[in-house]
Amino acid sequence: MSVEPRSFEQPIYVTRPMLPEFAVFTKHLEAIWQSAILSNGGPQHVELERRLHGPLGDGHIALFNNGTNALMTAVKALDLSGEVITTPFTFAATPHALAWHGIKPVFVDIDDSTMTLDPARIEAAITERTTGIFAVHVYGNPCNVEAIGRIAQARGLKVLYDGAHAFGTKVEGQPIAAFGDATMFSFHATKLFHTAEGGAVVMNDLDLKRRMELLKNFGIADEVTVRSVGINSKMNEIQAALGLCVVDLVTAEKAKRHEIANVYRSRLGAVPSITMPRQQNPDTDSLQYFCIRIDRDVTGISRDDVYNQLKRYNIFARRYFYPLCSDYEPYRNFPDSAASNLPVAHRVGDQVLCLPFYGALGTAYAERISDIVAYVVEHGSDEVVHAA
């Protein structure tokens, strides 16, 4: 492309939350006002938990006020301690949920293709202090759940999955939460399904579900009995009401995102230095993000060059996940945080760029964004004369 494309008049961000018709939401609010129940497992909460069995499967569901509290409660409920093996290529909440409990996150490198924890690297990281594996379904790409499960079973380890990006993801026909001891889902406003803030943990063990419910409510068993040291991480009725509205929009939203993904794929697939994500199926994939990889060695332009130049066109892509968690101040001095131990994660972390990806974006805007990305890459790191 030789003619520079036009910039957008208004900022285009990496995502935008789905919002229901306001009148639909107010009907739920009216029901809350009539019941005068605002929290503690009210009618909206109970109904949302029931409705989520569709996309999340038949496991036991515990709802939370946010995904981080859901993770922290899961770590406590699973009795993790000592050291837990995890990935450096994730959001800060993943290692923080461990460190907050005094557990040392042990970073292991990732698979170049899926960008998830590499099972081949797990065994060497296991010590006598290891109690679990904490893996992440990055961008909704499923981890190698079978390999991780075999390692965990052989070594007597618990498996916790961070499925923040994996709402509705399936592996060989099974919901992603069917694997491991527990799976957390984030319902933050940036996610495909959201409750503004919120989250859930899905597990197959009923006793674990009961422990989760206890821990998220101060450890209170009844009016006079406190059985454990818990926190307050309950989802309230207004959050649940929003979720009941949004859950009905997910199927249509995924169909729109699939069309946008096809635009990106068709227009950027042949651009030198850009690697496309795998083809995704709306029935088995979350379509949470559309993440490309930019290889500087091919055309001389880096991911950061593209990221910064896109801002000049009013496009605000995101470098998920950069920097790596292993480079954060609390973790950078760990021996396993050394770049030599995490070569794939460092390479991927320097290449990934998530493009704007939400149904309301539309295919026409996706075409324009594709043309701008292609133009920026074509012109390399040369100074681009920005068109008004």
Side-chain angles (χ1 to χ4, degrees):
M1 177 181 291
S2 57
V3 178
E4 184 182 10
R6 293 180 296 108
S7 64
F8 287 93
E9 294 182 0
Q10 300 295 325
I12 304 296
Y13 297 107
V14 71
T15 190
R16 195 168 87 182
M18 286 191 295
L19 290 173
E21 293 294 330
F22 192 62
V24 175
F25 185 44
T26 56
K27 288 183 179 180
H28 286 271
L29 293 180
E30 289 171 358
I32 293 172
W33 258 244
Q34 290 172 5
S35 71
I37 299 173
L38 297 180
S39 188
N40 290 10
Q44 305 288 321
H45 180 287
V46 171
E47 179 61 13
L48 180 60
E49 189 175 299
R50 185 188 70 81
R51 291 288 306 278
L52 288 176
H53 280 291
L56 300 184
D58 296 329
H60 305 291
I61 299 175
L63 298 179
F64 289 83
N65 57 356
N66 63 61
T68 302
N69 278 340
L71 281 179
M72 290 174 59
T73 306
V75 169
K76 180 75 170 178
L78 289 169
D79 291 321
L80 296 177
S81 62
E83 297 177 353
V84 170
I85 293 168
T86 191
T87 169
F89 190 67
T90 182
F91 185 61
T94 306
H96 285 0
L98 298 171
W100 192 269
H101 287 291
I103 300 168
K104 182 183 182 295
V106 175
F107 297 112
V108 163
D109 211 358
I110 63 175
D111 175 80
D112 186 75
S113 177
T114 65
M115 296 173 281
T116 63
L117 196 62
D118 185 353
R121 302 292 299 275
I122 292 176
E123 283 279 2
I126 296 173
T127 72
E128 61 182 13
R129 300 187 70 241
T130 305
T131 59
I133 301 169
F134 188 5
V136 181
H137 304 302
V138 180
Y139 312 131
N141 293 328
C143 297
N144 188 335
V145 291
E146 293 184 356
I148 291 174
R150 285 194 299 268
I151 295 170
Q153 185 175 18
R155 302 300 293 265
L157 304 176
K158 300 287 181 64
V159 178
L160 174 61
Y161 284 110
D162 183 333
H165 298 172
F167 186 88
T169 296
K170 295 181 179 179
V171 174
E172 296 183 356
Q174 294 191 69
I176 196 69
F179 303 92
D181 292 285
T183 301
M184 184 282 297
F185 296 91
S186 171
F187 300 158
H188 185 267
T190 56
K191 302 303 185 287
L192 170 72
F193 168 79
H194 73 91
T195 57
E197 283 275 7
V201 176
V202 183
M203 63 229 91
N204 298 314
D205 185 339
L206 181 57
D207 287 338
L208 183 59
K209 151 79 168 178
R210 290 169 177 156
R211 180 160 166 75
M212 289 281 233
E213 295 291 346
L214 190 71
L215 288 170
K216 78 177 187 181
N217 187 35
F218 305 100
I220 296 174
D222 56 43
E223 188 175 355
V224 296
T225 308
V226 177
R227 290 184 177 164
S228 58
V229 178
I231 58 175
N232 180 17
S233 53
K234 302 183 298 292
M235 176 179 285
N236 65 54
E237 286 290 271
I238 295 174
Q239 288 177 296
L242 181 57
L244 285 170
C245 299
V246 172
V247 73
D248 290 328
L249 308 177
V250 168
T251 299
E253 171 70 12
K254 290 177 73 172
K256 293 176 183 177
R257 293 188 183 200
H258 192 239
E259 292 179 355
I260 292 167
N262 287 338
V263 169
Y264 283 149
R265 191 176 300 279
S266 65
R267 295 177 91 94
L268 293 174
V271 176
S273 85
I274 292 183
T275 301
M276 294 284 104
R278 65 181 177 83
Q279 186 77 42
Q280 294 189 317
N281 183 338
D283 295 328
T284 57
D285 291 292
S286 65
L287 282 85
Q288 172 64 53
Y289 290 111
F290 191 93
C291 176
I292 62 175
R293 289 171 60 175
I294 299 169
D295 189 346
R296 183 174 190 167
D297 293 337
V298 175
T299 59
I301 186 168
S302 71
R303 183 276 315 277
D304 286 351
D305 290 332
V306 176
Y307 167 77
N308 288 319
Q309 290 192 28
L310 288 180
K311 293 179 182 178
R312 300 170 63 181
Y313 295 87
N314 244 349
I315 300 171
F316 294 87
R318 290 297 298 270
R319 297 174 294 179
Y320 291 136
F321 294 97
Y322 176 84
L324 300 179
C325 289
S326 51
D327 288 336
Y328 293 165
E329 187 172 343
Y331 311 118
R332 65 175 60 146
N333 292 324
F334 292 176
D336 47 277
S337 294
S340 58
N341 186 55
L342 308 167
V344 178
H346 275 274
R347 180 171 67 251
V348 172
D350 287 339
Q351 293 180 344
V352 292
L353 188 67
C354 289
L355 300 180
F357 195 54
Y358 51 92
L361 181 71
T363 56
Y365 271 24
E367 290 173 357
R368 287 182 61 187
I369 292 168
S370 299
D371 291 345
I372 291 170
V373 171
Y375 181 83
V376 168
V377 171
E378 178 185 338
H379 285 76
S381 56
D382 296 338
E383 184 68 24
V384 176
V385 180
H386 183 50

